Amino acid sequence: MLQSIYIKNYVLIEQLDIDFNQHMTVFTGETGAGKSITIGALSLAMGARGDTAVIGAFGDVCEVVASFDISDHLNVKKWLEQHEFQQDELIIRRTLNKQGRSQLWINGSPTPAHLVKDLGRYLVQIHGQHDQIKLLQSATQRQILDRSGDYDNLLQQIADTTEELKRLDADRLALQQAGSLSAEQQQLLDYQYQELHELDLKKGEYEQLHQDLLHVSHAQDIQQACQQSIHDLDESDHSVRQVLAQHISQLKHLKGFDASQVCQMLDEALINVQEAIQYLSDYASEIDHDPQQQSTIEQRLEQISHIARKQNTQAEQLLDHQQQLAEQLNRHQHQSEQQAALDKKSHELRQQYNKLCQQLTQARQTAAKQLAASISHLIQQLGLPEAQLTIQVNPTDFNEDSKPLSHGLDHIEFMIAINRGQTPQPLRKTASGGELSRICLAIEVVGQNQDNSCFVFDEVDTGIGGATASQVGAIMRKLSEQHQVFAVTHLPQVAGQAHDHILVSKSSDESQGLTRSAIQHLNREQRIQELARMAGGETITETTLAQAEEFLKTG
């Protein structure tokens, strides 16, 4: 359940920290007071798109912190464990600045918005007047039906088969494109590949040839330098080796001075000089200054560069180019065989997909009868005693040219007959505003996601009143026995059913030119005054007060 929410600099709220009841809470207030602001702030915390227009006039950053009690919410704890979050509490924090930069945290850890939204489906389900439009859409109706049915595994199989068919179709298209070579194109590719085959270029050969050419072209200079170094180090009258040996001998026989440490260093230097002499001698003896070898290397490099220019590629990439040519020719050569194999597999998968969809249609039709009966029963309690809702599940034809859909082939349509003897019509084509509000409320309550711990109804009771309004309030209160319920309402019949009543008001500060919203938990006497205002307007009489008490007693 939502324990509390902290709001700072959001629309008309300067700063607010409010705790909530675990059952049913209503927000009321005069028109324009900002009854839905708290709901909007909660939506922001749940990862809704952040619009800088919601930032208030009290600072440059707005902030919302929602705290939840998840002690009995196993699905939420499991989600937190899977995503490696702390599990003994749940605090979601959201900030938004005027530059549009938004940040979200779960239990103090920075979190992407899509993860917060994913978690939010277990926590809060918000229904507003605009959701009635969504409920008229076939896709939303399908989701409600599927949520009520017991065929999740079948839906997953269809989704997996759809993805496999999409990958297969992509492979078929790629194969067709790869194999669609004209005779001239194939002849050119054959010629280019044969030319590279005859070149017989080895991996790393081009780079090694450049190194070899550098070595051969400077062989004489290298040899002369080595010989000169050997002469200076070992062969001259005052060679480095001879000079070092003399100094070592002199120092060792020097009286009155311990030269052992110096002699050790010079001995090491003499050893390094002798090793350097040997290395230079060995290297110089292996140097072969062969003009013919240089010419051979240069010719091979020119051969490689010439073919690279002809085939419009870099010499370093010739081997990759040869591999690509081979693959392209191979795809073309075996295109008909591969195409036949892919076509066969596609046909088999489509048959499997169609069979799964037929099973899904049957499962949906069974679930549709049960769901429609439950919704109809609730609609009848909401002042439409003869209304009957039916759910049509109409499968569409599927053939080799049809596009597979991850949710199956069924078109789902919620149909309603308001009065006895009427022919059911699509929900989107019938019902008045008040009737539609009641029908949608019934659909939302019956088709609720049982994973949610909190339900929010934002003025979904628009267009109704009287006994029907009392029924709406009673249904929300009954729902609150198992779930936390919030309702923004203008109906005293609904507000009287709540366990907790919050009044939203606004005031203007002319000195600062600012308008603020304030929120207040009402006690019993204050609730009676507010219910009387809601029932009778600004003028509160004994009659409206008595009526308000009746609303409260009913709740």
Side-chain angles (χ1 to χ4, degrees):
M1 61 166 276
L2 178 63
Q3 282 186 310
S4 64
I5 190 167
Y6 170 79
I7 306 170
K8 182 178 180 181
N9 195 33
Y10 182 86
V11 191
L12 299 179
I13 296 177
E14 182 174 9
Q15 185 165 311
L16 169 70
D17 194 351
I18 186 168
D19 297 325
F20 294 114
N21 186 284
Q22 65 177 341
H23 296 296
M24 180 177 175
T25 300
V26 292
F27 293 86
T28 68
E30 295 182 355
T31 301
K35 296 186 291 296
S36 297
I37 290 179
T38 305
I39 308 305
L42 179 60
S43 297
L44 189 68
M46 292 295 101
R49 184 177 179 181
D51 189 337
T52 55
V54 302
I55 299 175
F58 312 101
D60 295 330
V61 179
C62 78
E63 178 181 6
V64 182
V65 181
S67 300
F68 294 86
D69 178 0
I70 58 171
S71 55
D72 297 325
H73 212 314
L74 298 181
N75 285 329
V76 172
K77 288 186 175 182
K78 182 179 179 181
W79 189 97
L80 292 172
E81 180 182 7
Q82 289 175 342
H83 293 84
E84 299 181 348
F85 287 103
Q86 180 183 341
Q87 300 166 47
D88 58 349
E89 65 176 356
L90 177 56
I91 299 174
I92 301 176
R93 178 171 175 250
R94 176 83 176 267
T95 61
L96 177 66
N97 65 21
K98 289 188 175 181
Q99 288 71 45
R101 177 176 171 79
S102 175
Q103 291 181 287
L104 274 158
W105 294 265
I106 293 179
N107 291 340
S109 298
T111 308
H114 74 273
L115 277 184
V116 176
K117 287 180 181 179
D118 187 53
L119 174 60
R121 63 193 173 95
Y122 296 112
L123 297 168
V124 179
Q125 187 169 330
I126 298 176
H127 302 282
Q129 294 182 61
H130 67 280
D131 292 298
Q132 294 181 6
I133 299 175
K134 290 171 61 179
L135 285 172
L136 303 181
Q137 299 170 356
S138 178
T140 303
Q141 294 173 2
R142 183 190 69 244
Q143 292 167 4
I144 293 172
L145 174 60
D146 288 345
R147 201 161 60 216
S148 72
D150 186 21
Y151 44 81
D152 290 346
N153 185 53
L154 190 55
L155 283 167
Q156 188 60 53
Q157 290 182 62
I158 290 174
D160 293 342
T161 305
T162 301
E163 288 303 311
E164 192 172 354
L165 275 170
K166 287 180 180 179
R167 289 193 295 269
L168 190 60
D169 288 342
D171 291 341
R172 293 169 68 195
L173 178 61
L175 184 60
Q176 290 172 359
Q177 293 174 340
S180 58
L181 296 176
S182 66
E184 293 79 7
Q185 288 174 321
Q186 184 182 2
Q187 185 178 10
L188 173 62
L189 294 182
D190 280 332
Y191 173 79
Q192 289 179 329
Y193 180 78
Q194 186 60 32
E195 189 175 46
L196 289 170
H197 179 72
E198 293 173 357
L199 180 65
D200 194 24
L201 183 64
K202 302 296 189 297
K203 185 176 181 180
E205 180 185 354
Y206 183 73
E207 292 78 7
Q208 186 60 49
L209 284 170
H210 274 287
Q211 291 294 326
D212 293 345
L213 180 60
L214 185 66
H215 180 78
V216 170
S217 61
H218 293 84
Q220 189 172 1
D221 294 339
I222 295 171
Q223 193 171 50
Q224 289 177 355
C226 289
Q227 290 171 349
Q228 182 63 49
S229 295
I230 292 170
H231 177 267
D232 293 342
L233 291 171
D234 188 44
E235 297 174 353
S236 68
D237 293 339
H238 299 285
S239 67
V240 173
R241 187 179 64 81
Q242 184 178 0
V243 170
L244 279 173
Q246 290 174 352
H247 283 293
I248 291 170
S249 177
Q250 290 175 2
L251 288 170
K252 283 183 178 179
H253 295 88
L254 192 63
K255 304 296 184 179
F257 173 63
D258 182 6
S260 58
Q261 188 174 357
V262 175
C263 288
Q264 183 181 353
M265 290 188 287
L266 293 176
D267 281 335
E268 292 174 358
L270 182 58
I271 291 171
N272 288 332
V273 169
Q274 289 171 340
E275 289 180 354
I277 292 168
Q278 185 61 48
Y279 179 85
L280 290 171
S281 178
D282 292 342
Y283 189 81
S285 66
E286 293 177 358
I287 295 175
D288 183 13
H289 179 55
D290 182 1
Q292 182 60 40
Q293 182 186 9
Q294 181 174 345
S295 176
T296 301
I297 294 173
E298 290 173 344
Q299 289 175 8
R300 178 62 172 168
L301 283 172
E302 176 54 33
Q303 182 186 22
I304 295 171
S305 299
H306 174 68
I307 292 178
R309 289 192 297 272
K310 283 179 63 178
Q311 301 209 13
N312 195 31
T313 188
Q314 299 293 323
E316 297 89 341
Q317 299 173 351
L318 274 179
L319 279 176
D320 290 339
H321 181 57
Q322 183 178 0
Q323 179 65 25
Q324 291 169 3
L325 289 174
E327 291 173 357
Q328 194 170 358
L329 287 168
N330 182 65
R331 283 197 300 267
H332 178 69
Q333 179 180 354
H334 301 289
Q335 189 260 349
S336 59
E337 296 176 5
Q338 293 174 328
Q339 191 72 48
L342 289 176
D343 289 345
K344 180 181 178 182
K345 186 174 181 181
S346 175
H347 177 71
E348 293 172 350
L349 267 180
R350 284 178 172 272
Q351 285 185 320
Q352 177 184 338
Y353 174 83
N354 197 30
K355 183 178 179 180
L356 290 169
C357 287
Q358 290 173 359
Q359 296 174 17
L360 177 61
T361 298
Q362 294 175 357
R364 278 173 168 164
Q365 289 171 343
T366 300
K369 292 178 182 178
Q370 298 172 350
L371 179 62
S374 298
I375 294 174
S376 295
H377 179 70
L378 189 53
I379 292 173
Q380 290 161 12
Q381 295 181 43
L382 293 174
L384 298 173
E386 297 181 345
Q388 288 289 336
L389 183 129
T390 57
I391 302 175
Q392 290 188 352
V393 180
N394 299 317
T396 56
D397 293 332
F398 186 72
N399 54 48
E400 291 297 321
D401 297 324
S402 300
K403 180 180 178 182
L405 300 173
S406 60
H407 52 73
L409 300 173
D410 300 321
H411 176 75
I412 310 299
E413 187 78 72
F414 282 26
M415 311 286 288
I416 188 72
I418 301 295
N419 301 301
R420 188 185 304 274
Q422 283 185 334
T423 301
Q425 296 291 325
L427 190 60
R428 53 190 166 81
K429 292 184 178 180
T430 189
S432 66
E435 291 169 342
L436 184 60
S437 294
R438 283 174 276 174
I439 294 168
C440 289
L441 177 62
I443 292 172
E444 289 168 342
V445 171
V446 175
Q448 63 185 276
N449 184 345
Q450 294 296 335
D451 286 334
N452 282 282
S453 62
C454 173
F455 292 86
V456 178
F457 298 100
D458 189 4
E459 296 193 17
V460 297
D461 50 16
T462 300
I464 61 175
T468 302
S470 297
Q471 287 293 334
V472 170
I475 288 171
M476 289 184 181
R477 185 179 178 93
K478 183 173 180 57
L479 181 63
S480 74
E481 293 175 1
Q482 301 295 327
H483 304 277
Q484 188 180 29
V485 173
F486 294 94
V488 176
T489 183
H490 62 282
L491 298 177
Q493 296 94 328
V494 173
Q497 296 279 355
H499 300 85
D500 189 17
H501 191 148
I502 295 176
L503 176 65
V504 182
S505 60
K506 69 177 182 179
S507 59
S508 297
D509 185 339
E510 295 184 2
S511 63
Q512 294 181 330
L514 297 174
T515 301
R516 292 178 174 84
S517 279
I519 289 180
Q520 175 188 3
H521 286 281
L522 300 183
N523 59 31
R524 177 178 174 80
E525 293 303 318
Q526 291 170 327
R527 288 188 70 179
I528 291 173
Q529 290 291 323
E530 173 62 6
L531 292 174
R533 182 199 65 78
M534 296 172 70
E538 293 183 3
T539 303
I540 298 177
T541 64
E542 293 296 327
T543 302
T544 55
L545 286 171
Q547 188 180 30
E549 287 204 56
E550 286 301 316
F551 290 143
L552 201 55
K553 287 180 182 179
T554 303

